[in-house]
Amino acid sequence: MGLHLDFELPASSSPRRRKPTTTPNEFKAGYSWMPKSHPPTVLFKTYTPKTLVPFDGNDGGRILLAINGIVFDVTAGRNFYGPNGMYGNFAGRDASRGMAKQSFDLEMLTPIDQPLDKLEDLKPDEIDNMKGWIDHFSNKYIICGKLVGNDQA
Amino acid sequence: MALSIAEYLVTDDLTVLLGLIAATVFLVNNLYKPQPLVHPILLGRQSDVGRARNPGESAVYRNYGTGLMGRFPLRPNKDVHILADLVRPENEGPRTLWATKVKPSCLNESRLFTCHRLPTIGFQDRIAAVGTGLLRLAGLKAQESTVLLLLNDSIEFLLTDLALASHSILSYTLSSSTLLTSVLDSHRPSAIVTHAFMLPAILELLYEHTERSVQHTIVVVGEPSAQALASVASNITILKFADVEREGVRTQKILSPVPKPSDVFTVSFYEAENGLIQGAQLTHANITAGVAAIHSLLPAANTFTPLDTITSAHSLSTTYGRTIGYTALYEGTSFSTLVSSATYHIGDRHDTLDSKDAISGTQYPIPSPTVLFVRPEHLKAIATDVIKQGARSWLLYPFAWRHKVSGVTEGFVTKEGLWDRVVFDGARTKVLGPTAATLRAVIVSGGPIEASLMTPARIALSVPIVNVVSHSLVSGPLLASHAFDLQDFAPEKTKSGALLPAHTGPPGVNVEVKLVGVDDEAVENGADPVGVVFVRGPPVGKLVNVEGYVDVPSENASEEDAWTGIGLRAKVQSNGSFVVLTD
């Protein structure tokens, strides 16, 4: 292999005969690369009011809230639902009634040890409002679980 | 001080020249690298992954082009709703399907004056004629009867299939001739369409398995032998396909109500992984969705055109093979099938899937094939033959090989390079004949491909090779690799020591896939999910068990969004491509 040959055909001058033993994790490091990790996915879990409460963002962790039995991961909206956010009351709780009645007061929240709020006394337009919020949350945040009563866990 | 340095740095012409050469080499080395066919950043995100997953399952994966919020392509064109719409009369230009030249219909009055040949009967008219002939002569009733299609791939298969579908008559096909007895026992077709050489065997089966009182009608393609005709009992009517078609041309066409896309038009029987005989109920919508999916296997710049010729190793009696045939029909290409794809033959025949078989589609008077739909065995045979042939030019071959390998490592391969002209074109022509010059894509399905075969095959053929996973329940590709994906990873072993096969790719454009039976803890710690493949989408047909086995209806049998289990185990890699596991 004369050196002049290498000059004329640069692409063939030093091909990697053996594949690199570790797969590169960046596309700049090689064509046959593999991302280091899978895209993050959350495991769909069943929560009860008691197990949902820790997820209120106070410890810097995930923030979850539930509407109509569907649990949403609203960590992306920490500004709203985090400890100092406008709607921070809802973090880690069942926010169905508050969403329906468009109110963020503490009276909208059911205490943790009581059975789930059945929402029977809501008017039809309030139920529609709540469904609208469920749609908004489904598009914006991740559905990551369902909420059942403390005794049904 | 400065003087002593200047004494050492004597820049004469030679120094300048060498300096320029070094600079040029450096620049050329850095800038003259071939561009990858697809940017590797796109290969790092091939699927769109769902953001939540059920315990024990993986997230839902979709093709990145479709996206999680996107709607699945249901049809290749907004006007294609049922099977009959796949035949487009405005497809100008004749094409050859097996041995029949199909010309556009000239019976339209306004074109009678522009046609320079005698008005020939167009394809749609032939379909209508066959349909009318079958209804009149074979005593079939629209929307009620069922017909068993025991035909090898031929123009008669397509004609009969389309004719029966247009009259809403259910057709049964078998992926293998061994299923015939069970299907005849469990399903009583009103008529059977078969080849002349199979007539004696069919008659024997009918005499053994059915009573003398039951009427049977058999439509025979070709000339049955006098011996066979003599042995026909009184309860069996034999009709010739040519007579049926002639009757349809002669008499007034019978019109039936147009079928709905959700109508089942065929049941394709196959032997499942567990040994049970199962059938896939396919609707018109399944096939149109499958055609749209196959259309997207080739990138938009190299898509199917009426100038193409498709050769398929998959029989039309199988679901995927059927969809390939209809894709060829829709795209206006010429089409034929390989010798090894014939489902029915006399006696025992051992088909060797080698490179000669891969080009056996050229036994018909079709133009040289441009797109091959073959099996992994064909790919291996072609690749090894081409490499062996190329290695004969011992002087130049090592350089050619090194050049190609360095190109593939950068993600680039072409058929028009210098080394192709010098070494590889000759080798390809020796192995594939005239097909070597016209071949522009190879789509492989029907089993796993060895990982170590992929780069040699890509170099040997130098055309896009698409690795597709297909299944008898899904009309389109289930998983398909990116056409320009040339990635090659270090070989991996499974726990049992077997080598992993080559990776395929993301799910097809109109299916979504999830893995069930996944180890949650491993996945939460970042491992690749491994599980059984479940699929959902427009091309997925409904599973029916052959009667005689316990029919276990699934809980969501009536739901639109029921997941269908394919009996395959696979793992997903972090870039969204799937690897089918063989153990």
Side-chain angles (χ1 to χ4, degrees), chain B residues 394-439:
Chain B
W394 49 272
L395 187 60
L396 294 173
Y397 180 74
F399 298 108
W401 185 257
R402 275 155 47 110
H403 184 93
K404 285 278 190 177
V405 167
S406 70
V408 171
T409 340
E410 295 293 325
F412 174 79
V413 76
T414 178
K415 222 173 134 185
E416 279 110 31
L418 164 71
W419 292 109
D420 291 282
R421 276 199 292 274
V422 174
V423 177
F424 285 108
D425 273 347
R428 280 183 216 128
T429 317
K430 265 263 166 56
V431 175
L432 294 173
T435 311
T438 52
L439 187 63

Side-chain angles (χ1 to χ4, degrees), chain B residues 15 53 106 111 150 165 226 237 244 291 319 325 353 403 418 421 468 475 492 497 509 511 539 548 564 574-575:
Chain B
T15 314
R53 65 185 187 89
C106 284
R111 292 170 58 178
L150 298 176
T237 332
V244 167
V291 170
T319 315
L353 304 177
H403 184 93
L418 164 71
R421 276 199 292 274
V468 164
S475 67
E492 270 179 57
V509 291
V511 289
T564 312
S574 43
N575 63 0

Side-chain angles (χ1 to χ4, degrees), chain A residues 1 5-17 19-25 27-28 30-45 137-145, chain B residues 25 28-29 32 36 38-41 43-45 49-55 59 61 399 402-403 406 408-411 419 484-491 520 524 526-529 572-575:
Chain A
M1 319 294 158
L5 210 61
D6 289 351
F7 167 65
E8 274 164 35
L9 303 160
S12 69
S13 60
S14 56
R16 265 168 270 163
R17 311 273 188 114
K19 292 189 268 281
T21 41
T22 49
T23 315
N25 290 122
F27 71 91
K28 291 202 169 79
Y31 176 74
S32 297
W33 70 290
M34 191 63 76
K36 210 163 16 181
S37 57
H38 287 258
T41 55
V42 284
L43 203 48
F44 196 90
K45 276 173 68 172
F137 273 75
S138 303
N139 288 333
K140 201 167 172 198
Y141 301 110
I142 310 171
I143 298 178
C144 64
Chain B
V25 170
V28 170
N29 233 346
Y32 200 54
V38 64
H39 198 287
I41 204 175
L43 295 176
R45 191 73 184 261
V49 186
R51 296 200 285 172
R53 65 185 187 89
N54 289 329
Y61 285 80
F399 298 108
R402 275 155 47 110
H403 184 93
S406 70
V408 171
T409 340
E410 295 293 325
W419 292 109
F484 294 138
D485 178 1
L486 301 180
Q487 288 184 324
D488 202 1
F489 300 99
D520 276 332
E524 288 296 309
D528 291 335
V572 190
Q573 297 176 294
S574 43
N575 63 0

Side-chain angles (χ1 to χ4, degrees), chain B residues 444-458:
Chain B
V444 186
S445 69
I449 309 180
E450 289 163 26
S452 53
L453 176 64
M454 283 315 287
T455 300
R458 287 186 177 124

Side-chain angles (χ1 to χ4, degrees), chain B residues 200-390:
Chain B
I202 305 283
L203 289 174
E204 215 181 288
L205 262 176
L206 284 177
Y207 296 152
E208 267 176 55
H209 289 260
T210 59
E211 297 88 34
R212 283 275 155 158
S213 50
V214 180
Q215 272 287 100
H216 290 282
T217 318
I218 307 184
V219 179
V220 180
V221 172
E223 287 295 325
S225 67
Q227 221 178 4
L229 283 176
S231 65
V232 170
S234 53
N235 61 328
I236 302 188
T237 332
I238 305 281
L239 296 163
K240 288 215 264 267
F241 191 85
D243 293 339
V244 167
E245 198 178 339
R246 212 172 301 133
E247 172 79 11
V249 171
R250 201 173 56 88
T251 55
Q252 197 193 18
K253 302 276 184 293
I254 302 180
L255 294 171
S256 290
V258 175
K260 294 194 298 295
S262 53
D263 284 345
V264 177
F265 78 97
T266 191
V267 180
S268 173
F269 291 99
Y270 63 96
E271 194 171 325
E273 295 83 15
N274 49 10
L276 287 178
I277 300 179
Q278 291 174 332
Q281 265 187 350
L282 300 171
T283 63
H284 296 262
N286 289 143
I287 298 287
T288 52
V291 170
I294 292 188
H295 179 89
S296 63
L297 282 179
L298 293 183
N302 313 22
T303 191
F304 293 101
T305 64
L307 296 171
D308 276 317
T309 305
I310 297 178
T311 320
S312 164
H314 307 277
S315 164
L316 284 178
S317 305
T318 61
T319 315
Y320 186 57
R322 195 88 147 261
T323 319
I324 297 173
Y326 282 119
T327 311
L329 201 61
Y330 172 76
E331 303 282 352
T333 68
S334 299
F335 182 71
S336 80
T337 46
L338 307 183
V339 167
S340 58
S341 74
T343 326
Y344 307 104
H345 33 77
I346 319 171
D348 265 330
R349 202 179 68 174
H350 297 284
D351 285 312
T352 40
L353 304 177
D354 56 3
S355 30
K356 251 196 0 181
D357 183 52
I359 50 167
S360 57
T362 51
Q363 61 173 305
Y364 298 102
I366 54 169
S368 197
T370 57
V371 180
L372 289 181
F373 282 79
V374 290
R375 293 185 187 278
E377 294 90 351
H378 291 118
L379 184 70
K380 182 166 185 177
I382 297 175
T384 27
D385 286 345
V386 170
I387 290 172
K388 256 200 277 216
Q389 193 65 37

